[in-house]
Amino acid sequence: MPEGLLAPPTRDRLHAAANAADTRILSYAARARALDFYLTNPSGRARPNRRWKVDLDALAFDPLASDAPKNEVAFSGSLGRAIALPLATAAREHPETLAQIARRIDIERLKFGALALGLSSLGALVHVPADYDVAEPIVITYSIDASPAFPRTLVFLEPGARATIIVEFRNRSGAFVAGTSELIVDERAHLQYATTQHVDSGSVAVETALAQVGRDASIALASADFGDGLIVRDRESSLDAAGARMEQSAIFLPTGDGHLDVAATVRHAAANTFSQTVVKAAAGERAIARFLGNIVILPHAAGSEASLRDDALILGPKAHIDSVPALEIACNDVKAYHGATIGAIDDEQIFYLRSRGLDETEARRTIALGFFEPVVDAFPTAALRESLTHRIVETLR
Amino acid sequence: MSETMGLRVAGLRATVENTEILRGIDLVVEPGKIHALMGPNGSGKSTLALSLAGHPHYQVTAGSATLDGTSLLDLSPEKRARAGLFLSFQYPAAIPGVKVANFLHAARQAVRPGSLAPAAFRAMLVEKMDILGMDPSFMGRYLNDGFSGGEKKRLEMLQMAMLAPKYAILDETDSGLDVDALRAVGDSIAALRASEEGRQAGMLIITHYPRILKHVTPDVVHVMMDGRIVLTGGHDLAERIEREGYDGIRDEVGARA
């Protein structure tokens, strides 16, 4: 928990914080409504028991310290005709774009989405016009010095647009960060969206992500989470029109007393939609990782295909990984696959590498790196892949 | 030749899960010589190979094993490899996500540090793969992951060629191979022995069937039964096994004992 706070914030404190937030982005009334939703609705993951130490419905933070001006968002990459702006600037210069996103992405219906909506003054908007291809990746960097922070990342790709977006967080130690990703990928557009996060002990990072994918459009989501703090992700992708595609890849590598809790839902809401989920989780020391993978195929989604692959590697005797897949299929003419493996590093693999001159530590590291390799490959840019590999190596050291 | 040179095994006893499998093995593989170790299933051939390589499931209870004077039994598996011992596995482990090229480079660096510049390493790799009839696409595949039996054995031979050990133990490298793959294994051994690094390599070829010995001519043939070497001879011993099987030898040895 962040220092000095043991209890979740009261309604009065939340409303006082909403009042102090940037009402150019969202009116006070809308903020207050969102916060009431946050207070009265469960996250769906509040079954505390001995294993799940964290009750997500009772997270403690001080809302009145929210979004201090010390927190910043910066952009890099050549934009061409695309727009990338801090949310406050976007609210002033492009209010119609924000309104359009708000009409289509209902982030408020998810508990932590509502929290971010209610308290956020920090964020980013990326808007790519129709049929425009942003050749270079756009890197969004959040520097979080003041806690708590509620960064919202809004992305709107018009029909036929293409972009790669990398979101990086530089959070100060002990920070409480609850942000959103609100993504619209219109017909024929393609978005690659990658996030990496390292959360240290005592820090909390929560992400609520909603993606809407249009006809013959595609989205590729990649996330990599490290550290010994608490990371919660709640991601939902809606394949709303025929031919929509989604690929998501995730790396989980919690260490120490780290706790990672990720729910990823894919909704196949139209015919001939395609989704593929690949998760590679490894937990060391006393770390806990939980992955809830939901595939929902609605009645009119004939010809759709969904696959869910989830592999877990236990690196410490007290580490724990739970993988909970769920397939909810209401249509006959579909293909859905699910596969999961869980285990420790095999002694025969270690011996094989040692017999080739690698010492035991190097052998374990090689095997663990290999375990993550296919998912590292799903990240954009060679530099990012290299830094991920480096981080995996450092974590396994 | 010095008294200490060679892969020298004396009075070696080993157990697996408290069952004694090796019951006093004496064997000397001299530098540059090829020994064949033959014997029926369950005679302890693989146990000998894995015990020498340092597999943690095998407990050596008595005897000694030295490599050019260095005692192997006190060394970790990786130090045995660095001392110049190579084991071609009967069942190589698959390691998904680890590319063959990267692994070979890491292994070469571990066993012979700093001995090859990257360009020279690549040139050597291309040459050795050509000898083994391996497609260049092998390099980008994951180590033994989804490999056929023949592909795994070729990769073991490629590793042997790239690591250029002082002594190599080939544990049933020939089993499950078709004629072409068998020939490739033979060619690979010949190429290693023709190379600067491998000219003095000693080999212990463990096999169930004599057919690999048509491609590699051993200097010495041993027959192992019930955890002991019961007969040692020249190449003609392998031919005799092909004609008579192991039963004749068992009768002879049994009669002698």
Side-chain angles (χ1 to χ4, degrees):
Chain A
M1 291 294 122
E3 63 267 24
L5 274 160
L6 297 168
T10 60
R11 184 172 187 274
D12 282 354
R13 285 185 80 77
L14 283 168
H15 279 249
N19 212 1
D22 191 336
T23 48
R24 287 168 305 180
I25 297 173
L26 201 65
S27 71
Y28 170 72
R31 286 174 182 278
R33 190 186 67 219
L35 290 171
D36 284 338
F37 181 92
Y38 169 76
L39 284 166
T40 51
N41 284 272
S43 64
R45 278 177 292 166
R47 284 164 276 162
N49 57 30
R50 266 174 307 176
R51 185 172 296 151
W52 303 111
K53 291 172 281 194
V54 182
D55 179 354
L56 297 186
D57 289 345
L59 288 178
F61 57 93
D62 179 5
L64 285 169
S66 100
D67 272 0
K70 279 198 283 184
N71 294 333
E72 281 176 5
V73 58
F75 304 90
S76 69
S78 164
L79 294 168
R81 284 165 48 213
I83 290 166
L85 293 168
L87 199 52
T89 313
R92 202 166 57 237
E93 295 176 5
H94 302 276
E96 72 296 339
T97 308
L98 296 193
Q100 206 173 347
I101 295 171
R103 275 197 300 276
R104 291 174 58 179
I105 299 274
D106 183 13
I107 202 84
E108 193 181 332
R109 71 182 161 79
L110 296 165
K111 183 179 176 87
F112 292 103
L115 175 66
L117 211 60
L119 297 177
S120 182
S121 297
L122 176 70
L125 168 71
V126 175
H127 181 191
V128 184
D131 296 312
Y132 185 71
D133 184 349
V134 188
E136 260 186 61
I138 301 168
V139 181
I140 303 173
T141 306
Y142 289 104
S143 302
I144 308 292
D145 271 330
S147 171
F150 305 93
R152 291 174 62 200
T153 307
L154 277 54
V155 177
F156 183 16
L157 265 55
E158 289 190 16
R162 296 180 72 86
T164 296
I165 297 174
I166 298 167
V167 184
E168 292 179 341
F169 287 90
R170 295 192 186 138
N171 298 356
R172 83 151 164 79
S173 189
F176 180 101
V177 180
T180 68
S181 297
E182 300 165 53
L183 315 173
I184 295 174
V185 187
D186 261 346
E187 59 183 57
R188 294 177 293 104
H190 174 72
L191 174 64
Q192 188 168 19
Y193 187 81
T195 54
T196 61
Q197 187 130 29
H198 178 98
V199 174
D200 62 12
S201 178
S203 304
V204 177
V206 184
E207 183 209 27
T208 307
L210 285 180
Q212 197 186 72
V213 188
R215 179 179 294 271
D216 297 325
S218 59
I219 188 166
L221 298 170
S223 64
D225 296 320
F226 301 87
D228 49 1
L230 170 66
I231 299 180
V232 181
R233 291 191 190 279
D234 218 331
R235 292 191 148 182
E236 202 176 299
S237 304
S238 255
L239 305 177
D240 282 344
R245 298 174 68 87
M246 192 279 290
E247 285 172 32
Q248 63 181 340
S249 312
I251 292 173
F252 300 167
L253 192 38
T255 47
D257 287 304
H259 188 146
L260 186 57
D261 193 315
V262 175
T265 300
V266 187
R267 280 166 45 88
H268 290 258
N272 301 314
T273 51
F274 170 91
S275 76
Q276 177 185 301
T277 301
V278 182
V279 178
K280 298 274 184 181
E285 293 155 284
R286 297 159 306 280
I288 292 173
R290 174 159 64 166
F291 174 69
L292 312 164
N294 303 312
I295 291 174
V296 180
I297 303 183
L298 296 175
H300 40 282
S304 291
E305 199 173 320
S307 75
L308 176 59
R309 173 87 218 169
D310 176 12
D311 296 315
L313 195 57
I314 310 274
L315 298 174
K318 292 191 173 161
H320 185 92
I321 299 179
D322 258 10
S323 165
V324 188
L327 304 173
E328 200 179 301
I329 299 171
C331 180
N332 283 328
D333 176 26
V334 298
K335 288 180 188 157
Y337 314 89
H338 165 249
T341 62
I342 189 157
I345 290 179
D346 183 4
D347 287 346
E348 294 300 327
Q349 292 179 321
I350 293 172
F351 177 65
Y352 187 69
L353 294 183
R354 292 181 77 185
S355 80
R356 299 303 186 244
L358 277 61
D359 66 32
E360 183 171 353
T361 309
E362 189 61 29
R364 287 183 181 278
R365 192 180 304 154
T366 301
I367 295 163
L369 260 182
F371 173 80
F372 286 111
E373 224 266 353
V375 178
V376 171
D377 261 359
F379 280 77
T381 82
L384 182 57
R385 289 191 291 273
E386 213 163 283
S387 104
L388 277 176
T389 302
H390 181 71
R391 200 176 278 187
I392 292 169
V393 168
E394 286 299 307
T395 305
L396 297 171
R397 200 176 285 283
Chain B
M1 190 178 65
S2 139
E3 282 290 294
T4 57
M5 291 303 278
L7 177 62
R8 309 178 86 91
V9 179
L12 194 75
R13 290 175 170 265
T15 61
V16 182
E17 288 164 1
N18 297 321
T19 303
E20 185 166 65
I21 308 289
L22 299 185
R23 302 196 285 167
I25 299 283
D26 296 290
L27 180 75
V28 178
V29 179
E30 306 85 351
K33 298 290 185 194
I34 295 183
H35 286 231
L37 180 65
M38 303 182 67
N41 282 332
S43 56
K45 304 185 301 292
S46 289
T47 299
L48 175 62
L50 290 163
S51 299
L52 290 176
H55 194 293
H57 294 178
Y58 297 78
Q59 268 79 48
V60 171
T61 53
S64 66
T66 59
L67 188 154
D68 293 350
T70 305
S71 174
L72 290 176
L73 299 180
D74 303 328
L75 299 181
S76 63
E78 59 272 25
K79 286 191 173 147
R80 297 181 197 205
R82 292 172 201 165
L85 184 69
F86 178 85
L87 170 63
S88 168
F89 284 68
Q90 186 176 4
Y91 303 110
I95 307 186
V98 176
K99 290 199 174 104
V100 168
N102 297 346
F103 163 69
L104 285 172
H105 192 256
R108 170 88 195 183
Q109 277 298 115
V111 170
R112 291 172 169 265
S115 57
L116 272 186
F121 174 82
R122 276 194 300 276
M124 184 176 174
L125 197 51
V126 168
E127 180 206 326
K128 305 295 184 195
M129 288 179 71
D130 189 49
I131 292 168
L132 281 160
M134 294 168 89
D135 190 87
S137 67
F138 245 82
M139 289 301 99
R141 291 176 65 186
Y142 296 149
L143 194 55
N144 291 318
D145 190 28
F147 279 30
S148 70
E151 286 173 333
K152 285 182 185 171
K153 297 302 174 70
R154 281 177 204 249
L155 182 57
E156 293 295 289
M157 288 300 93
L158 180 64
Q159 292 177 48
M160 181 179 77
M162 292 303 292
L163 300 181
K166 291 179 182 157
Y167 298 91
I169 303 171
L170 276 55
D171 188 5
E172 303 222 4
T173 299
D174 53 337
S175 65
L177 294 190
D178 61 26
V179 179
D180 289 340
L182 212 53
R183 187 176 302 119
V185 167
D187 291 349
S188 174
I189 293 170
L192 175 64
R193 288 160 57 78
S195 73
E196 183 69 26
E197 285 180 332
R199 191 174 302 143
Q200 282 302 306
M203 301 212 173
L204 181 63
I205 299 178
I206 295 176
T207 182
H208 188 71
Y209 302 105
R211 57 184 195 138
I212 186 157
L213 305 179
K214 294 196 188 333
H215 300 275
V216 190
T217 308
D219 299 297
V220 183
V221 176
H222 307 275
V223 178
M224 189 167 173
M225 284 181 179
D226 302 327
R228 289 191 185 92
I229 290 176
V230 295
L231 205 57
T232 294
H235 190 237
D236 50 332
L237 185 52
E239 286 159 13
R240 186 182 150 196
I241 290 168
E242 182 150 52
R243 278 196 316 274
E244 301 175 12
Y246 290 108
D247 287 345
I249 291 172
R250 189 184 292 279
D251 293 343
E252 178 193 321
V253 171
R256 233 178 23 204

